[in-house]
PDB file of all heavy atoms in Angstrom:
ATOM      1  N   SER P  14      -5.683 -19.817 -12.392  1.00 97.00           N
ATOM      2  CA  SER P  14      -6.405 -19.568 -13.615  1.00 97.00           C
ATOM      3  C   SER P  14      -7.024 -18.063 -13.652  1.00 97.00           C
ATOM      4  O   SER P  14      -7.196 -17.568 -12.653  1.00 97.00           O
ATOM      5  CB  SER P  14      -7.500 -20.502 -13.899  1.00 97.00           C
ATOM      6  OG  SER P  14      -6.952 -21.937 -13.877  1.00 97.00           O
ATOM      7  N   LYS P  20     -21.899 -10.510 -12.272  1.00 84.00           N
ATOM      8  CA  LYS P  20     -22.456  -9.777 -11.103  1.00 84.00           C
ATOM      9  C   LYS P  20     -22.456 -10.747  -9.903  1.00 84.00           C
ATOM     10  O   LYS P  20     -23.106 -11.799  -9.910  1.00 84.00           O
ATOM     11  CB  LYS P  20     -23.850  -9.323 -11.446  1.00 84.00           C
ATOM     12  CG  LYS P  20     -24.542  -8.517 -10.422  1.00 84.00           C
ATOM     13  CD  LYS P  20     -25.884  -7.961 -10.717  1.00 84.00           C
ATOM     14  CE  LYS P  20     -26.457  -7.050  -9.678  1.00 84.00           C
ATOM     15  NZ  LYS P  20     -27.849  -6.572 -10.023  1.00 84.00           N
ATOM     16  N   PHE P  24     -15.195 -16.289 -11.073  1.00 97.00           N
ATOM     17  CA  PHE P  24     -15.065 -17.736 -11.107  1.00 97.00           C
ATOM     18  C   PHE P  24     -14.031 -18.162 -12.224  1.00 97.00           C
ATOM     19  O   PHE P  24     -13.833 -17.381 -13.071  1.00 97.00           O
ATOM     20  CB  PHE P  24     -16.387 -18.363 -11.370  1.00 97.00           C
ATOM     21  CG  PHE P  24     -17.059 -18.043 -12.618  1.00 97.00           C
ATOM     22  CD1 PHE P  24     -16.861 -18.748 -13.852  1.00 97.00           C
ATOM     23  CD2 PHE P  24     -17.813 -16.804 -12.771  1.00 97.00           C
ATOM     24  CE1 PHE P  24     -17.411 -18.405 -14.970  1.00 97.00           C
ATOM     25  CE2 PHE P  24     -18.303 -16.407 -14.040  1.00 97.00           C
ATOM     26  CZ  PHE P  24     -18.101 -17.253 -15.136  1.00 97.00           C
ATOM     27  N   CYS P  25     -13.482 -19.239 -11.973  1.00 97.00           N
ATOM     28  CA  CYS P  25     -12.410 -19.694 -12.973  1.00 97.00           C
ATOM     29  C   CYS P  25     -12.957 -21.052 -13.713  1.00 97.00           C
ATOM     30  O   CYS P  25     -13.937 -21.592 -13.285  1.00 97.00           O
ATOM     31  CB  CYS P  25     -11.061 -19.948 -12.305  1.00 97.00           C
ATOM     32  SG  CYS P  25     -11.075 -21.611 -11.291  1.00 97.00           S
ATOM     33  N   GLY P  53      -4.490  -8.068   9.780  1.00 86.00           N
ATOM     34  CA  GLY P  53      -4.334  -6.780   9.233  1.00 86.00           C
ATOM     35  C   GLY P  53      -4.893  -5.657  10.099  1.00 86.00           C
ATOM     36  O   GLY P  53      -5.390  -5.874  11.158  1.00 86.00           O
ATOM     37  N   GLU P  67      -6.387  11.746   3.948  1.00 97.00           N
ATOM     38  CA  GLU P  67      -7.051  12.649   3.261  1.00 97.00           C
ATOM     39  C   GLU P  67      -7.106  14.089   3.690  1.00 97.00           C
ATOM     40  O   GLU P  67      -7.653  15.057   3.096  1.00 97.00           O
ATOM     41  CB  GLU P  67      -8.608  12.210   3.264  1.00 97.00           C
ATOM     42  CG  GLU P  67      -8.752  10.887   2.438  1.00 97.00           C
ATOM     43  CD  GLU P  67     -10.221  10.440   2.246  1.00 97.00           C
ATOM     44  OE1 GLU P  67     -11.057  11.092   2.926  1.00 97.00           O
ATOM     45  OE2 GLU P  67     -10.437   9.612   1.361  1.00 97.00           O
ATOM     46  N   CYS P  79       3.046   9.214  -7.750  1.00 98.00           N
ATOM     47  CA  CYS P  79       2.208   9.207  -9.046  1.00 98.00           C
ATOM     48  C   CYS P  79       3.213   9.542 -10.157  1.00 98.00           C
ATOM     49  O   CYS P  79       3.070   9.058 -11.248  1.00 98.00           O
ATOM     50  CB  CYS P  79       1.235  10.293  -8.876  1.00 98.00           C
ATOM     51  SG  CYS P  79      -0.117   9.861  -7.829  1.00 98.00           S
ATOM     52  N   GLY P  98      -0.336  -4.383  -0.722  1.00 97.00           N
ATOM     53  CA  GLY P  98      -0.492  -3.771   0.547  1.00 97.00           C
ATOM     54  C   GLY P  98      -1.212  -2.362   0.353  1.00 97.00           C
ATOM     55  O   GLY P  98      -0.753  -1.422   1.017  1.00 97.00           O
ATOM     56  N   GLY P 100      -3.816  -1.035   1.514  1.00 97.00           N
ATOM     57  CA  GLY P 100      -4.488  -0.396   2.570  1.00 97.00           C
ATOM     58  C   GLY P 100      -6.015   0.022   2.243  1.00 97.00           C
ATOM     59  O   GLY P 100      -6.632  -0.615   1.528  1.00 97.00           O
ATOM     60  N   THR P 105      -3.592   4.142  -4.108  1.00 98.00           N
ATOM     61  CA  THR P 105      -4.121   3.415  -5.308  1.00 98.00           C
ATOM     62  C   THR P 105      -4.953   4.375  -6.142  1.00 98.00           C
ATOM     63  O   THR P 105      -4.839   4.468  -7.311  1.00 98.00           O
ATOM     64  CB  THR P 105      -4.887   2.068  -4.880  1.00 98.00           C
ATOM     65  OG1 THR P 105      -4.236   1.464  -3.774  1.00 98.00           O
ATOM     66  CG2 THR P 105      -4.922   1.155  -6.004  1.00 98.00           C
ATOM     67  N   PRO P 119      -5.424   3.082 -17.486  1.00 97.00           N
ATOM     68  CA  PRO P 119      -4.766   2.143 -16.667  1.00 97.00           C
ATOM     69  C   PRO P 119      -5.706   1.114 -16.157  1.00 97.00           C
ATOM     70  O   PRO P 119      -6.829   1.367 -15.890  1.00 97.00           O
ATOM     71  CB  PRO P 119      -4.309   3.066 -15.645  1.00 97.00           C
ATOM     72  CG  PRO P 119      -5.240   4.218 -15.463  1.00 97.00           C
ATOM     73  CD  PRO P 119      -5.683   4.469 -16.899  1.00 97.00           C
ATOM     74  N   VAL P 131      -9.679  -3.136   2.617  1.00 98.00           N
ATOM     75  CA  VAL P 131     -10.144  -3.404   1.289  1.00 98.00           C
ATOM     76  C   VAL P 131     -11.485  -2.927   1.145  1.00 98.00           C
ATOM     77  O   VAL P 131     -11.913  -2.424   0.051  1.00 98.00           O
ATOM     78  CB  VAL P 131      -9.972  -4.849   0.957  1.00 98.00           C
ATOM     79  CG1 VAL P 131     -10.527  -5.257  -0.431  1.00 98.00           C
ATOM     80  CG2 VAL P 131      -8.327  -5.160   0.960  1.00 98.00           C
ATOM     81  N   GLY P 136     -15.112   0.645  -1.524  1.00 97.00           N
ATOM     82  CA  GLY P 136     -16.235   1.522  -1.454  1.00 97.00           C
ATOM     83  C   GLY P 136     -16.044   2.923  -2.020  1.00 97.00           C
ATOM     84  O   GLY P 136     -17.084   3.593  -2.368  1.00 97.00           O
ATOM     85  N   ASP P 159       2.814  -4.624 -15.191  1.00 98.00           N
ATOM     86  CA  ASP P 159       3.770  -3.522 -15.864  1.00 98.00           C
ATOM     87  C   ASP P 159       4.462  -2.806 -14.647  1.00 98.00           C
ATOM     88  O   ASP P 159       5.577  -2.311 -14.876  1.00 98.00           O
ATOM     89  CB  ASP P 159       3.119  -2.577 -16.674  1.00 98.00           C
ATOM     90  CG  ASP P 159       2.485  -3.117 -17.935  1.00 98.00           C
ATOM     91  OD1 ASP P 159       3.242  -3.764 -18.807  1.00 98.00           O
ATOM     92  OD2 ASP P 159       1.188  -3.220 -17.996  1.00 98.00           O
ATOM     93  N   VAL P 164       3.748   0.580  -0.641  1.00 97.00           N
ATOM     94  CA  VAL P 164       4.006   1.645   0.275  1.00 97.00           C
ATOM     95  C   VAL P 164       3.965   1.274   1.701  1.00 97.00           C
ATOM     96  O   VAL P 164       2.910   0.900   2.261  1.00 97.00           O
ATOM     97  CB  VAL P 164       3.051   2.748  -0.002  1.00 97.00           C
ATOM     98  CG1 VAL P 164       3.293   3.961   0.953  1.00 97.00           C
ATOM     99  CG2 VAL P 164       3.108   3.285  -1.403  1.00 97.00           C
ATOM    100  N   GLY P 181       9.471  -4.767 -16.448  1.00 98.00           N
ATOM    101  CA  GLY P 181       8.494  -3.866 -15.752  1.00 98.00           C
ATOM    102  C   GLY P 181       9.167  -3.396 -14.547  1.00 98.00           C
ATOM    103  O   GLY P 181      10.357  -3.700 -14.122  1.00 98.00           O
ATOM    104  N   ASP P 202      11.332   6.424  25.458  1.00 94.00           N
ATOM    105  CA  ASP P 202      12.324   7.072  26.376  1.00 94.00           C
ATOM    106  C   ASP P 202      13.625   7.089  25.526  1.00 94.00           C
ATOM    107  O   ASP P 202      14.414   8.040  25.788  1.00 94.00           O
ATOM    108  CB  ASP P 202      12.477   6.276  27.597  1.00 94.00           C
ATOM    109  CG  ASP P 202      11.156   6.239  28.597  1.00 94.00           C
ATOM    110  OD1 ASP P 202      10.564   7.279  28.448  1.00 94.00           O
ATOM    111  OD2 ASP P 202      11.023   5.373  29.260  1.00 94.00           O
ATOM    112  N   GLY P 216      16.041 -11.256  -9.370  1.00 98.00           N
ATOM    113  CA  GLY P 216      15.180 -11.017 -10.532  1.00 98.00           C
ATOM    114  C   GLY P 216      15.114  -9.544 -10.828  1.00 98.00           C
ATOM    115  O   GLY P 216      14.404  -9.213 -11.887  1.00 98.00           O
ATOM    116  N   GLU P 223      14.917   7.562  -4.673  1.00 97.00           N
ATOM    117  CA  GLU P 223      14.396   8.977  -4.649  1.00 97.00           C
ATOM    118  C   GLU P 223      13.983   9.268  -3.262  1.00 97.00           C
ATOM    119  O   GLU P 223      13.170   8.459  -2.623  1.00 97.00           O
ATOM    120  CB  GLU P 223      13.363   9.082  -5.590  1.00 97.00           C
ATOM    121  CG  GLU P 223      13.659   8.957  -7.166  1.00 97.00           C
ATOM    122  CD  GLU P 223      13.401  10.339  -7.848  1.00 97.00           C
ATOM    123  OE1 GLU P 223      12.901  11.223  -7.246  1.00 97.00           O
ATOM    124  OE2 GLU P 223      13.917  10.333  -8.989  1.00 97.00           O
ATOM    125  N   THR P 228       8.971  18.768   6.834  1.00 98.00           N
ATOM    126  CA  THR P 228       8.646  18.849   8.275  1.00 98.00           C
ATOM    127  C   THR P 228       7.135  18.871   8.292  1.00 98.00           C
ATOM    128  O   THR P 228       6.507  19.523   7.678  1.00 98.00           O
ATOM    129  CB  THR P 228       9.234  19.983   8.866  1.00 98.00           C
ATOM    130  OG1 THR P 228      10.739  19.920   8.795  1.00 98.00           O
ATOM    131  CG2 THR P 228       8.851  20.144  10.335  1.00 98.00           C
ATOM    132  N   ASP P 233      -3.460  19.401  16.083  1.00 96.00           N
ATOM    133  CA  ASP P 233      -4.773  18.824  16.240  1.00 96.00           C
ATOM    134  C   ASP P 233      -4.519  17.518  16.894  1.00 96.00           C
ATOM    135  O   ASP P 233      -3.901  16.653  16.398  1.00 96.00           O
ATOM    136  CB  ASP P 233      -5.432  18.639  14.852  1.00 96.00           C
ATOM    137  CG  ASP P 233      -6.922  18.115  14.976  1.00 96.00           C
ATOM    138  OD1 ASP P 233      -7.047  17.233  15.952  1.00 96.00           O
ATOM    139  OD2 ASP P 233      -7.753  18.421  14.187  1.00 96.00           O
ATOM    140  N   PHE P 241      -0.738   8.274  14.709  1.00 97.00           N
ATOM    141  CA  PHE P 241      -0.189   7.185  15.574  1.00 97.00           C
ATOM    142  C   PHE P 241      -0.925   5.851  15.138  1.00 97.00           C
ATOM    143  O   PHE P 241      -0.216   4.778  14.997  1.00 97.00           O
ATOM    144  CB  PHE P 241      -0.435   7.532  17.068  1.00 97.00           C
ATOM    145  CG  PHE P 241      -0.070   6.484  18.025  1.00 97.00           C
ATOM    146  CD1 PHE P 241       1.137   5.838  17.956  1.00 97.00           C
ATOM    147  CD2 PHE P 241      -0.934   6.202  19.094  1.00 97.00           C
ATOM    148  CE1 PHE P 241       1.609   4.847  18.901  1.00 97.00           C
ATOM    149  CE2 PHE P 241      -0.584   5.166  20.070  1.00 97.00           C
ATOM    150  CZ  PHE P 241       0.657   4.453  19.868  1.00 97.00           C
ATOM    151  N   THR P 244       0.580   3.646  12.175  1.00 93.00           N
ATOM    152  CA  THR P 244       1.959   3.400  12.235  1.00 93.00           C
ATOM    153  C   THR P 244       2.139   2.039  12.979  1.00 93.00           C
ATOM    154  O   THR P 244       1.228   1.677  13.772  1.00 93.00           O
ATOM    155  CB  THR P 244       2.765   4.437  12.952  1.00 93.00           C
ATOM    156  OG1 THR P 244       2.566   4.319  14.434  1.00 93.00           O
ATOM    157  CG2 THR P 244       2.492   5.836  12.472  1.00 93.00           C
TER     158      THR P 244
END
Side-chain angles (χ1 to χ4, degrees):
S14 300
K20 187 176 181 179
F24 62 97
C25 75
E67 292 190 350
C79 288
T105 322
V131 171
D159 296 291
V164 179
D202 295 330
E223 292 246 350
T228 298
D233 183 321
F241 177 48
T244 70

